[in-house]
Amino acid sequence: MNPAELDLRPAGGGECRANCPHCGDRRRHLYVNRERRLWHCFRCGRAGRLIETALSAPIMRSLSGPADKGKPRPLPPEALDRAYRAMLARLVLSGHHRAHLIDARDFSSDLVEHGLYRSLPASSDLLREDAGRAAAQAVGQGQASRVPGLALRRGGWTVVGPPGLLVPVRDEAGRICGLQVRLDNPKAGGSRYLWLSSRRQGGAGAAARLHWACPAGSGLDGTLWITEGPLKADYAAWRLGVSVIAVPGVTTCMHQVLQAVAERPRRYVVVAFDADLQTNPQVRACALGLVGELELRGLDVSVADWPLDSGKGLDDLLRSGGRPAVLAPFAWRVRLKEDCAMLKIVGWAKVAAPPESQTVARDGRDPMPVFRAILEVAPAPGARGKAPRLPAVAFYQRAEKCAGTGLQEGDTVFVSGSLTTVRQRDASGSGWTEVPGVMLEELAHVRVPDVGGEDGDDGMPF
């Protein structure tokens, strides 16, 4: 695939978005890190490193060049913040948009004022020209072309873009680095939100960014929630009293999320994507990928879960008076009925309950007799990645393969397998119930280690 087919676009944070040659994606879900030459598609999950070959040389050259050749690059965050605040100070919030925020979205008057939401009027409105002049004066006439959303018309600077509700997008320092427009009249089947940009007018384009909603007293080093959309994040931060970051969409800015979380100390991260991940395979894949990446980075991560009929977004749920269930990643995967074959368990385990015979069914297969034990699992020293510690999960093995193992309660074993769910006979013996487990394919994956070492230290984590 050549650079034209990849359709490389700037994504902010030193990254580009592109079409994926593996899954045939044409909506640029593949992200490329310019400096590290790493790529990852958030649609199909493939990832790797760009290698300098004759085939990839044109792509490497296009990455080394400017993101938008011949067009001005956006100003630094400090300057954009000055320009956008001057622009918003000259605009007003229409009665229609204020009613939407307060009545439909349950925003308080104080939240509306603090959020600096404004209305972008019809293109012929003089307010656009007044706001454009103010923004240009804030950064200087020579730098105004580097403010996404400003363009020269009839010898003066004006604000371009379709009419709608302007939503400020802030960075972690509270600086307004971009503006989203919630369109008054979106096209059928099109997006409701657009970034304020003047790319088509020869000015600076807008890059997709994270939005940080940090209410007073929440702090930037404590609990952090991750959700979709700036308006949802602002409302959730206000209602929950925690810091919330928002991605423009589940397939956008994921590398920025991972970088932001990795570079700052976080005690606790909660992923709260829209509940339609229960029915949308693409959203589900992105959520599973993000949670898995956060786990591999050793973070204390949980997932906010709620029924789809209680509201699509986190803000819908909170408006109705509900609260999400905050689940451990494994419990969330079980609730989604994910096979979880991509999540491997490799580590030492203590047998916490006596082994017993059991009959289970898995993946629509016929019921089979198995050997079942309850294990307390800890990550193995030196294991690739970081397997999550699980307080108690069931280990299943075909009964005929377990004869003569001598496994007993209190033994320490080494396990290697995949997290999964199985259907197990209930206490009455007349029905089935779904339970989490670690399904191992071969008996050789389990062994009882020799107890030894100096001073009775066997090197085990228990």
Side-chain angles (χ1 to χ4, degrees):
M1 180 176 284
N2 59 47
E5 292 173 317
L6 284 173
D7 193 15
L8 289 160
R9 303 283 183 89
E15 295 181 343
C16 287
R17 297 177 62 187
N19 296 327
C20 180
H22 295 284
C23 63
D25 167 59
R26 287 296 181 270
R27 300 189 66 179
R28 297 182 298 281
H29 289 140
L30 184 144
Y31 280 71
V32 183
N33 186 292
R34 292 169 175 268
E35 295 182 359
R36 300 174 63 189
R37 294 292 191 263
L38 299 176
W39 59 270
H40 181 217
C41 177
F42 281 96
R43 185 183 182 196
C44 66
R46 290 177 179 255
R49 179 182 295 275
L50 284 176
I51 302 175
E52 187 71 65
T53 64
L55 181 63
S56 66
I59 299 174
M60 302 283 279
R61 286 195 298 271
S62 66
L63 285 174
S64 301
D68 282 314
K69 189 175 181 180
K71 292 188 178 182
R73 298 176 62 85
L75 288 169
E78 297 83 358
L80 287 178
D81 182 62
R82 292 199 306 272
Y84 285 137
R85 288 183 184 276
M87 177 192 299
L88 297 173
R90 300 300 180 96
L91 295 173
V92 298
L93 183 63
S94 70
H96 169 70
H97 288 153
R98 180 178 292 275
H100 170 74
L101 291 172
I102 294 178
D103 297 337
R105 289 185 173 267
D106 192 37
F107 279 42
S108 68
S109 297
D110 289 342
L111 181 58
V112 170
E113 294 305 318
H114 173 75
L116 295 179
Y117 310 109
R118 296 292 185 268
S119 298
L120 191 59
S123 58
S124 59
D125 198 295
L126 294 178
L127 280 177
R128 285 180 178 249
E129 297 179 5
D130 188 30
R133 283 194 300 269
Q137 290 172 1
V139 296
Q141 298 292 327
Q143 299 294 320
S145 64
R146 298 178 63 189
V147 178
L150 289 188
L152 272 174
R153 286 186 178 174
R154 297 186 295 272
W157 293 100
T158 188
V159 181
V160 297
L165 173 65
L166 285 177
V167 181
V169 175
R170 294 174 168 86
D171 65 8
E172 59 190 304
R175 299 172 298 196
I176 301 176
C177 299
L179 293 172
Q180 278 195 337
V181 186
R182 186 181 187 275
L183 302 178
D184 286 340
N185 300 296
K187 295 181 180 179
S191 175
R192 165 67 79 171
Y193 292 88
L194 294 178
W195 289 92
L196 191 67
S197 170
S198 43
R199 187 193 306 274
R200 292 184 178 179
Q201 292 78 15
R209 297 177 179 271
L210 297 179
H211 171 65
W212 293 72
C214 303
S218 66
L220 292 178
D221 59 349
T223 300
L224 179 69
W225 287 57
I226 303 172
T227 190
E228 303 175 50
L231 285 175
K232 295 178 184 178
D234 288 347
Y235 183 79
W238 171 59
R239 290 293 300 271
L240 297 175
V242 297
S243 296
V244 182
I245 61 175
V247 295
V250 293
T251 60
T252 309
C253 299
M254 288 304 175
H255 279 110
Q256 295 183 40
V257 170
L258 296 174
Q259 182 179 359
V261 173
E263 290 180 350
R264 295 156 186 86
R266 303 288 173 192
R267 292 195 299 268
Y268 188 44
V269 179
V270 181
V271 177
F273 283 170
D274 288 355
D276 63 347
L277 64 84
Q278 300 169 21
T279 57
N280 188 321
Q282 185 174 335
V283 177
R284 178 192 298 233
C286 291
L288 287 167
L290 176 60
V291 172
E293 290 290 337
L294 293 172
E295 284 183 295
L296 289 175
R297 283 159 172 77
L299 293 167
D300 185 3
V301 58
S302 295
V303 184
D305 182 82
W306 63 93
L308 183 57
D309 56 12
S310 295
K312 177 184 175 184
L314 179 61
D315 57 334
D316 298 322
L317 176 70
L318 296 174
R319 264 195 303 274
S320 65
R323 285 292 188 273
V326 180
L327 307 177
F330 180 59
W332 172 64
R333 292 183 179 99
V334 171
R335 186 159 180 171
L336 287 180
K337 296 181 173 58
E338 282 290 325
D339 178 50
C340 302
M342 79 295 290
L343 182 57
K344 299 295 183 181
I345 285 293
V346 180
W348 297 106
K350 173 88 67 180
V351 179
E356 61 180 12
S357 298
Q358 184 63 261
T359 300
V360 301
R362 179 171 177 257
D363 298 338
R365 304 172 190 170
D366 292 335
M368 63 180 180
V370 298
F371 178 78
R372 175 178 181 268
I374 302 298
L375 306 176
E376 181 182 352
V377 183
R384 186 177 181 181
K386 294 184 178 179
R389 188 180 185 110
L390 303 173
V393 297
F395 143 59
Y396 296 87
Q397 183 61 276
R398 288 182 179 272
E400 63 268 21
K401 292 185 178 182
C402 292
T405 59
L407 195 63
Q408 299 178 9
E409 181 178 1
D411 285 348
T412 302
V413 297
F414 191 83
V415 297
S416 175
S418 301
L419 288 178
T420 185
T421 57
V422 295
R423 289 191 301 125
Q424 176 181 299
R425 284 289 187 190
D426 58 23
S428 66
S430 59
W432 297 87
T433 181
E434 288 189 347
V435 295
V438 178
M439 183 64 74
L440 307 183
E441 299 301 330
E442 299 293 337
L443 182 61
H445 287 168
V446 178
R447 67 180 176 84
V448 180
D450 295 328
V451 178
E454 297 182 4
D455 300 327
D457 179 12
D458 59 7
M460 300 300 103
F462 298 101

